[in-house]
Amino acid sequence: MSDFMMFSLVPMSVAVIIGMTCALLGNFLVLRRQSLIGDAISHVALPGIVVSFLLTGTLASTAMMLGAGVSALVTVVMIELIRRLGRVEISAAMGVTFTSLFAFGVLLLEWSQASGVHLDVEHALYGNLESLIWFEGVSLASLFDPVALADLPPQLARVAWVGLLVVAYVVVFRRHLVVGSFDPDFAASVRAHPVIVDLLLVTMVAIAAIAAFEAVGSIIVIAMFICPAAAARLMTNRLGVQIAWSQLFALISSVLGYLLAGHGLIWLGLGFDVSVSAAGMIATISGLILLGACLFGPQRQRAGAASLSQSS
Amino acid sequence: MSAVGQISDEIAASPLAIHGLTVSYDHRPVVHSVDFVVPPGSMTAIVGPNGAGKSSLLKAVLGITRRLTGDVRVFGQPFSEMTRHVAYVPQRSSVDWDFPATVIDVVIMGLFRDLRWWQITGRRQREQAMDSLARVGMETFADRQIGELSGGQQQRVFLARALTQQAELTILDEPFAGVDAATEKAIVEVLKRLREQGRTLLCVHHDLATVRDYFDHVLLLNVRRIAAGPVESVFTADHLQATYGGRLNQIQLARLVAPATVVSEDI
């Protein structure tokens, strides 16, 4: 029990909060066919973090978050510029922007290491859930011990705040989001400000992506945004129900993924001290859930059926 | 002086007065310097060939796309202060009907401006929406997924959403495009009933053969305003020829502009 409190409670809570937060936003990205934006933003967090490290020389979280935030902003502007000036569709603009900025980040990272400083590439890519150890978390009583609670890894509070912010945004703007996703022209005509709400959505995605970056790394964030929401869309034709499914899927992937990464191979009898990346396992589980929904989801044929009825 | 007074009286009474409206995409004007005053209580058609800027004009009026220049007034006030008085029915093909929503969800969107963020849509909103659905004959479809509807049914749902807005002016973009004859008849009935209640309707319309049957006023548009006014005086062979750049043949024209030869309608 004390092992669980010390080594697993915090990483698992962080994974669950981040997973559910990203999945909540993911519902609207999927409905707006903007799934790539989450990927774009999470990738460009890397150059932002490296640049902030080169400028400040520290790995303090605030500086890194700030750097990631600035680069997310740069990305959004760059995507719009490429789309307008190059007259290409948005997914092409995103693809160009985030791959080139990510590549730039990797080069910067290598160069900074060559010049004698250390920033862990592996953590940037895969996150470091497992390192969120609660040293004072020795028993259940620690949950009520202020001294022990003060020792909680700061990432937990940070992702909790981000989660609350995102929930507040979705609750306050739920009608704007729905009307703007379904019918942007009508939304503009009733002054639902689809453009502003859209920008806010991208901002929320950026904030969630940066918070997730620390926990699960840049590669896997896209799975957190899209897999639960895409799988949920295949379960139902009601938006409210879809959101509920996405939250359930995110919860299952986070908890199951974390447990399997730590203990799965042992349970399978493959060895004792073998454990794999929790973030990788969480993404794998959410991918498997999506696969299951594609094969068995009750609404999996809707896209085909709709296009058939359109043409008839 | 008196002429100026008359014009502003007309504009003050009009649910939509447009002055010098220009819209351009990529430095090419798609609507050029259009003046138009929609008479109150009228059913007005906007008619013109493809690419004449009909939808662009509507979107610029509604503030959906930006206008280059021009003044838009609703009952003499700037449009931005009067948006509550205007309902909009976009082209049916402009939205994703695969969206996870039911018919009643879409109709309740018409109440967007009446609901604050802390309010929950309850029985009162549902009743209002059901009322609108009944007026377009769709009340039994309330809980259907919108993707299951036919084109005509989708158009009726859009009209029901506009009805819940209870606006003085309803702007419709090609409401009869791709709908069956029964739906077209039903929609025309709903629109005519609105006009009987003193409401004003402005409608992009592509079927020249029905302009005389459905509408009392018409704006002929091809980037510029070609002509505007009562159908019987404006919907003439010369004006149509000017609007369509000589692309209509004489037999078509003769049939369109002479009401006697229009197939009689027994509705």
Side-chain angles (χ1 to χ4, degrees):
Chain A
M1 190 64 211
S2 68
D3 265 12
F4 176 82
M5 295 293 289
M6 194 181 290
F7 295 107
S8 297
L9 181 67
V10 175
M12 212 148 108
S13 309
V14 167
V16 166
I17 295 170
I18 279 296
M20 291 175 77
T21 305
C22 291
L24 180 60
L25 294 171
N27 282 293
F28 297 99
L29 295 180
V30 166
L31 288 178
R32 288 158 181 251
R33 303 180 193 252
Q34 287 181 343
S35 305
L36 260 177
I37 194 102
D39 203 18
I41 286 172
S42 55
H43 274 71
V44 300
L46 180 66
I49 286 170
V50 179
V51 168
S52 87
F53 172 71
L54 290 176
L55 288 179
T56 64
T58 69
L59 281 173
S61 303
T62 348
M64 291 198 0
M65 295 283 273
L66 217 63
V70 169
S71 70
L73 216 67
V74 169
T75 314
V76 172
V77 172
M78 253 178 87
I79 289 172
E80 271 308 298
L81 276 180
I82 294 175
R83 196 166 71 91
R84 299 237 166 120
L85 297 178
R87 304 221 179 123
V88 291
E89 58 163 326
I90 190 155
S91 57
M94 282 183 203
V96 170
T97 308
F98 82 72
T99 45
S100 52
L101 280 179
F102 187 66
F104 174 65
V106 171
L107 285 181
L108 265 185
L109 196 58
E110 299 245 302
W111 176 72
S112 68
Q113 274 165 341
S115 61
V117 280
H118 179 72
L119 196 66
D120 198 335
V121 187
E122 212 169 284
H123 280 178
L125 298 184
Y126 310 125
N128 53 355
L129 268 182
E130 291 87 343
S131 70
L132 303 174
I133 300 165
W134 185 20
F135 291 103
E136 298 292 325
V138 287
S139 67
L140 268 181
S142 304
L143 283 176
F144 308 100
D145 175 4
V147 180
L149 287 175
D151 184 54
L152 275 172
Q155 285 89 344
L156 181 61
R158 191 146 61 229
V159 296
W161 281 116
V162 168
L164 276 179
L165 181 70
V166 167
V167 168
Y169 163 75
V170 171
V171 168
V172 170
F173 290 103
R174 62 191 183 284
R175 287 195 188 96
H176 296 75
L177 279 166
V178 172
V179 175
S181 304
F182 171 61
D183 191 345
D185 284 353
F186 177 80
S189 82
V190 293
R191 294 298 182 268
H193 304 296
V195 178
I196 296 172
V197 174
D198 204 48
L199 271 178
L200 275 177
L201 176 63
V202 174
T203 311
M204 290 297 149
V205 168
I207 293 172
I210 293 161
F213 181 87
E214 241 186 330
V216 298
S218 63
I219 299 286
I220 294 153
V221 172
I222 186 69
M224 317 281 279
F225 274 114
I226 301 310
C227 288
R233 179 66 189 93
L234 298 168
M235 301 301 291
T236 173
N237 272 325
R238 304 287 158 91
L239 183 55
V241 183
Q242 177 190 323
I243 289 173
W245 274 111
S246 76
Q247 296 297 291
L248 180 68
F249 287 154
L251 182 69
I252 293 174
S253 339
S254 306
V255 173
L256 204 61
Y258 184 82
L259 291 178
L260 281 179
H263 312 288
L265 298 175
I266 300 168
W267 292 340
L268 288 172
L270 292 177
F272 284 98
D273 268 342
V274 197
S275 61
V276 294
S277 154
M281 190 55 94
I282 290 169
T284 307
I285 299 289
S286 40
L288 287 175
I289 289 175
L290 178 57
L291 180 69
C294 288
L295 293 175
F296 307 111
Q299 300 301 330
R300 68 189 193 282
Q301 284 174 334
R302 90 209 130 72
S307 62
L308 269 179
S309 70
Q310 287 280 318
S311 61
S312 69
Chain B
M1 283 302 281
S2 67
V4 173
Q6 267 177 6
I7 288 166
S8 57
D9 279 352
E10 190 193 0
I11 288 171
S14 167
L16 185 69
I18 302 165
H19 181 67
L21 182 70
T22 298
V23 184
S24 78
Y25 292 136
D26 300 334
H27 308 292
R28 199 173 49 86
V30 288
V31 175
H32 190 82
S33 194
V34 170
D35 294 337
F36 183 52
V37 177
V38 179
S42 71
M43 212 161 138
T44 300
I46 301 177
V47 171
N50 288 332
K54 302 176 300 250
S55 294
S56 302
L57 178 115
L58 293 189
K59 286 187 181 182
V61 161
L62 290 158
I64 298 166
T65 56
R66 221 171 333 149
R67 50 183 191 256
L68 202 62
T69 57
D71 187 39
V72 178
R73 283 179 183 264
V74 172
F75 297 117
Q77 305 295 312
F79 180 81
S80 54
E81 291 164 21
M82 303 291 282
T83 52
R84 272 181 178 277
H85 298 277
V86 182
Y88 175 48
V89 180
Q91 283 186 24
R92 186 169 54 81
S93 57
S94 70
V95 308
D96 171 18
W97 289 93
D98 200 22
F99 196 85
T102 58
V103 166
I104 193 116
D105 292 338
V106 173
V107 179
I108 286 175
M109 287 179 195
L111 297 169
F112 180 86
R113 310 209 62 163
D114 303 327
L115 291 164
R116 304 269 69 86
W117 68 266
W118 61 84
Q119 286 178 296
I120 301 169
T121 30
R123 198 201 296 171
R124 202 166 63 89
Q125 284 78 23
R126 216 185 134 82
E127 276 169 8
Q128 262 174 288
M130 284 305 287
D131 207 47
S132 300
L133 276 176
R135 283 162 76 185
V136 299
M138 289 281 293
E139 66 271 40
T140 53
F141 290 83
D143 292 313
R144 285 283 190 92
Q145 160 69 16
I146 52 172
E148 296 170 12
L149 304 178
S150 72
Q153 290 166 337
Q154 290 172 351
Q155 192 65 60
R156 290 187 201 209
V157 171
F158 260 20
L159 184 58
R161 181 178 66 179
L163 291 176
T164 61
Q165 290 183 266
Q166 302 196 318
E168 289 299 323
L169 170 69
T170 302
I171 293 179
L172 306 98
D173 198 346
E174 303 229 6
F176 306 117
V179 306
D180 52 288
T183 298
E184 179 158 342
K185 208 163 151 182
I187 292 175
V188 168
E189 284 307 305
V190 173
L191 298 184
K192 287 189 168 167
R193 218 169 304 141
L194 278 173
R195 181 178 52 178
E196 282 161 22
Q197 295 163 5
R199 306 290 170 89
T200 311
L201 298 136
L202 177 64
C203 193
V204 167
H205 190 60
H206 66 290
D207 182 10
L208 294 176
T210 50
V211 170
R212 278 183 178 279
D213 302 339
Y214 297 166
F215 299 97
D216 46 44
H217 283 69
V218 65
L219 164 66
L220 293 170
L221 185 77
N222 191 347
V223 184
R224 293 157 191 277
R225 164 183 162 149
I226 307 295
V231 169
E232 59 268 25
S233 60
V234 166
F235 201 66
T236 62
D238 286 351
H239 285 150
L240 281 171
Q241 214 48 298
T243 310
Y244 284 83
R247 267 177 280 162
L248 303 171
N249 68 42
Q250 292 306 317
I251 302 164
Q252 270 180 309
L253 275 175
R255 198 175 292 157
L256 288 173
V257 299
T261 57
V262 169
V263 183
S264 66
E265 36 152 3
D266 316 86
I267 298 172

